[in-house]
Amino acid sequence: MKGVLQDLSLEELLSLVQNAGEKPFRAKQIFEGLMQGKKLSALPVPFALRAYLLERFEDEPVKIKDTFVSQDGTKKFLFELADGNLIEGVLMHYDYGNTQCVSTQVGCRMGCKFCASTLGGRVRDLSAGEILGEIAAVNRLEGGTLKERAVTNVVLMGSGEPFDNYQNVVKFLRNLTAEGGLHMSARNISLSTCGLVPEMRRFAEEGIPLNLTVSLHAVTDEERRRTMPVANKYHIAEILDACADYFEKTGRRYIFEYSLIEGENADMVHAEALADLLKGRPCHVNLIRLNPVKERNLKGTDERTAQAFLKALLTRGISATLRRSMGSDIGGACGQLRAKYISKDE
Ligand code: SAH
């Protein structure tokens, strides 16, 4: 398979352009155009340069195969990669802008019991350019320009474990934040991990101060192991230490995802234990009622239980919000759409 043009940094593109005997400004022109979602063929560059690049690279790594629009305006995309693999992404509209949720792998091998992405295991990693290609495809569809971007915020919360694809994800983040491209501020980017401690520590050194989010979903290691196999490898205490290190290095407070699962982690004792665990830490808790996944025998709590859980955290001085579950009518949760598609094909 050919590489994809969007994998290249501006510097890498520059040396290719120079190898092809063209002027350096072409690199910037192409980098900008690609990040906006344009295809190389749509850019006014010399024919010979275009041919030189297309001989070596794909210029459209991600195509939108299908779009679903929820009643709340959330859009869900089914993307097709050059090798026919399918991934998915979501665009959510908020007052402050539009947040795109991107996938980082085809499938996932972390095995969380409540998550549809992991049902078929991990198929392969996405390259940096493929992850960027998801954003480029949505910007193209929604007509985003560099100034009036359709996608203003990005969350790495689609299928896959970003830190299980570390190198490509970091390269993607460098290109996404690079001047001349989308130049997105790290503050507008959130990365969610199931808690791969060595990579969390390594990431603290990369100089990309984004919103680090950790999927906690339990208050003790024993309970966490029931739904998250990764808890056999890393303890909650190690995760908290790595988060503290991230705060020290970047000055960014960190976030915990806590999906409320009926009969599992959503009782008052859990709320109290969670508050004890996080007391005094520069963090925020994002609660969400679990999106039921047909293939899994786990259910979210009712709204009243979720509100009570939230209140218990707030009254104990923990910063927390209960997120609306968006797009649940269109299979908004991770991997749901792809799983549906794959089973339809079989
Ligand atoms: N692998 C990363 C990012 C992908 S999942 C991680 O584990 O954080 C993004 C978030 O959605 C995670 O917090 C994940 O635990 C959560 N999630 C997965 N399935 C869910 C479901 N059915 N309902 C609610 N949240 C879910």
Side-chain angles (χ1 to χ4, degrees):
M1 217 175 88
K2 281 199 259 185
V4 302
L5 265 180
Q6 290 82 348
D7 275 340
L8 303 174
S9 65
L10 183 55
E11 294 72 32
E12 288 166 334
L13 203 52
L14 185 63
S15 61
L16 270 170
V17 164
Q18 285 173 325
N19 285 347
E22 298 284 349
K23 298 211 170 64
F25 82 90
R26 294 290 178 196
K28 194 158 175 277
Q29 181 193 7
I30 295 170
F31 190 74
E32 264 185 31
L34 291 172
M35 296 301 143
Q36 283 177 59
K38 296 200 174 107
K39 285 169 69 164
L40 190 61
S41 52
L43 295 173
V45 294
F47 183 78
L49 177 60
R50 191 180 301 157
Y52 177 88
L53 292 172
L54 288 181
E55 234 169 69
R56 292 162 177 78
F57 298 94
E58 295 272 350
D59 69 338
E60 198 188 10
V62 176
K63 290 193 176 75
I64 296 180
K65 192 176 161 77
D66 221 336
T67 307
F68 304 81
V69 184
S70 161
Q71 283 174 354
D72 62 26
T74 301
K75 293 195 184 92
K76 178 114 193 183
F77 302 102
L78 189 72
F79 298 117
E80 186 170 20
L81 306 175
D83 65 359
N85 267 308
L86 299 174
I87 51 168
E88 52 191 280
V90 185
L91 187 68
M92 292 158 287
H93 303 283
Y94 295 102
D95 294 342
Y96 55 81
N98 302 321
T99 300
Q100 184 174 350
C101 175
V102 296
S103 293
T104 53
Q105 294 176 315
V106 182
C108 183
R109 58 174 175 171
M110 295 297 125
C112 298
K113 294 267 187 324
F114 43 77
C115 182
S117 296
T118 204
L119 290 169
R122 188 199 72 150
V123 178
R124 70 168 175 87
D125 289 338
L126 297 187
S127 76
E130 286 176 319
I131 308 172
L132 260 171
E134 297 174 56
I135 299 169
V138 171
N139 271 339
R140 187 186 316 142
L141 184 82
E142 304 270 319
T145 62
L146 269 188
K147 286 206 181 67
E148 292 163 40
R149 269 168 284 173
V151 180
T152 56
N153 299 65
V154 169
V155 298
L156 286 78
M157 290 193 187
S159 293
E161 164 52 44
F163 283 162
D164 189 34
N165 182 17
Y166 188 89
Q167 300 278 14
N168 292 344
V169 163
V170 168
K171 183 151 198 205
F172 154 73
L173 291 169
R174 295 212 189 283
N175 273 353
L176 180 62
T177 52
E179 228 171 294
L182 287 173
H183 200 187
M184 195 172 281
S185 160
R187 286 174 181 264
N188 292 353
I189 306 171
S190 301
L191 181 152
S192 181
T193 177
C194 62
L196 302 185
V197 170
E199 285 77 14
M200 288 171 70
R201 290 195 173 274
R202 185 172 166 200
F203 190 72
E205 310 283 344
E206 299 281 358
I208 309 173
L210 49 65
N211 306 302
L212 183 67
T213 304
V214 181
S215 300
L216 196 59
H217 306 320
V219 285
T220 64
D221 289 321
E222 199 187 336
E223 287 186 1
R224 198 162 184 260
R225 283 195 281 267
R226 286 213 295 261
T227 52
M228 300 182 72
V230 70
N232 290 303
K233 202 151 178 201
Y234 303 112
H235 296 156
I236 292 174
E238 294 173 279
I239 291 176
L240 294 181
D241 278 354
C243 287
D245 182 48
Y246 191 77
F247 178 74
E248 208 172 284
K249 302 246 163 71
T250 62
R252 305 287 294 152
R253 75 175 183 166
Y254 39 92
I255 297 144
F256 293 108
E257 295 283 329
Y258 196 97
S259 300
L260 296 161
I261 311 173
E262 195 182 88
E264 186 66 41
N265 65 0
D267 295 338
M268 238 351 94
V269 287
H270 295 111
E272 285 160 12
L274 185 61
D276 286 345
L277 193 67
L278 302 181
K279 187 120 207 111
R281 292 179 178 270
C283 68
H284 179 82
V285 178
N286 260 334
L287 298 172
I288 190 163
R289 289 159 55 201
L290 190 83
N291 247 314
V293 176
K294 200 177 77 205
E295 296 81 354
R296 303 294 198 199
N297 204 14
L298 296 169
K299 277 202 311 206
T301 59
D302 58 28
E303 179 68 21
R304 221 168 48 112
T305 309
Q307 290 291 352
F309 200 98
L310 173 67
K311 202 169 156 214
L313 292 183
L314 293 174
T315 53
R316 286 167 179 78
I318 304 293
S319 160
T321 38
L322 174 61
R323 283 196 298 166
R324 283 174 293 153
S325 175
M326 296 176 92
S328 52
D329 53 335
I330 52 166
C334 299
Q336 287 186 340
L337 187 62
R338 175 170 168 269
K340 206 160 92 187
Y341 247 77
I342 292 173
S343 66
K344 231 184 355 193
D345 286 351
E346 278 164 1

